[in-house]
C-alpha cells in the first residue's frame, strides 16, 4: 500500500465523518420547531462568540482537519464517544444541552489556561 493509498483512505474516512456530522445536524434540526431552534441558536451564538475570543482560528483549524488525512476521523470519533457518554450520564439531555456543556467546558478550560 502506497502513501497515496493511505491518504485516500484517510480522506475517505474524513468524508464519512463529515456525512455523519451532517446527518446528526439534520436529525436534530428536524425534531425541533423553528421558534425553539432560533432561541437555542441565539444562546449557542453567544457561547461561540465568547469561545472565539480564546480560539480565534478555530474555523480554520476545523477546515484543516478535514484536509489532513485521518484527522477529522479521529477528532469526530472522539466527539461521538464523548457524546455517547454524556447522553448515558444525562438521560433526558438533548443535543443542545451537550453543545452548551461543550462550549462552556472549552471556555472554562481556556480561561484557566490563560491564568
Amino acid at each position: 500500500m502506497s502513501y497515496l493509498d493511505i491518504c485516500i483512505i484517510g480522506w475517505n474516512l474524513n468524508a464519512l465523518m463529515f456525512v455523519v456530522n451532517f446527518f446528526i445536524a439534520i436529525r436534530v434540526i428536524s425534531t425541533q420547531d423553528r421558534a425553539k431552534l432560533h432561541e437555542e441558536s441565539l444562546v449557542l451564538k453567544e457561547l461561540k462568540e465568547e469561545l472565539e475570543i480564546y480560539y480565534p482560528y478555530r474555523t480554520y483549524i476545523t477546515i484543516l482537519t478535514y484536509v489532513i488525512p485521518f484527522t477529522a476521523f479521529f477528532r469526530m470519533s472522539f466527539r461521538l464517544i464523548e457524546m455517547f457518554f454524556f447522553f448515558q450520564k444525562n438521560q433526558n439531555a438533548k443535543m443542545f444541552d451537550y453543545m452548551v456543556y461543550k462550549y462552556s467546558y472549552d471556555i472554562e478550560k481556556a480561561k484557566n489556561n490563560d491564568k
Side-chain angles (χ1 to χ4, degrees):
M1 184 176 281
S2 71
Y3 289 119
L4 181 62
D5 293 336
I6 294 170
C7 287
I8 289 171
I9 290 170
W11 287 320
N12 287 336
L13 288 173
N14 285 353
L16 172 69
M17 283 301 154
F18 180 80
V19 170
V20 168
N21 197 14
F22 184 72
F23 281 130
I24 290 172
I26 295 297
R27 195 185 91 203
V28 168
I29 290 171
S30 66
T31 60
Q32 299 273 338
D33 63 336
R34 291 180 76 106
K36 182 90 170 159
L37 278 174
H38 182 63
E39 180 182 308
E40 290 176 354
S41 81
L42 292 176
V43 172
L44 291 175
K45 182 180 177 186
E46 289 176 16
L47 287 170
K48 183 180 175 187
E49 287 172 354
E50 186 176 354
L51 184 65
E52 286 180 352
I53 293 170
Y54 298 105
Y55 300 108
Y57 302 112
R58 199 172 134 265
T59 305
Y60 300 119
I61 291 170
T62 302
I63 293 169
L64 190 62
T65 60
Y66 284 102
V67 174
I68 299 172
F70 296 105
T71 308
F73 174 74
F74 290 124
R75 183 178 178 186
M76 281 299 302
S77 296
F78 178 74
R79 284 277 160 80
L80 291 173
I81 293 168
E82 186 179 29
M83 276 188 238
F84 174 76
F85 286 122
F86 178 82
F87 290 125
Q88 286 291 330
K89 187 175 181 181
N90 305 301
Q91 293 292 326
N92 295 327
K94 297 181 297 183
M95 185 60 77
F96 172 73
D97 300 323
Y98 172 74
M99 292 175 74
V100 168
Y101 159 75
K102 190 63 180 159
Y103 276 134
S104 300
Y105 177 78
D106 288 344
I107 289 168
E108 285 300 315
K109 189 169 116 179
K111 285 180 181 178
N112 289 337
N113 286 341
D114 209 23
K115 291 180 182 179

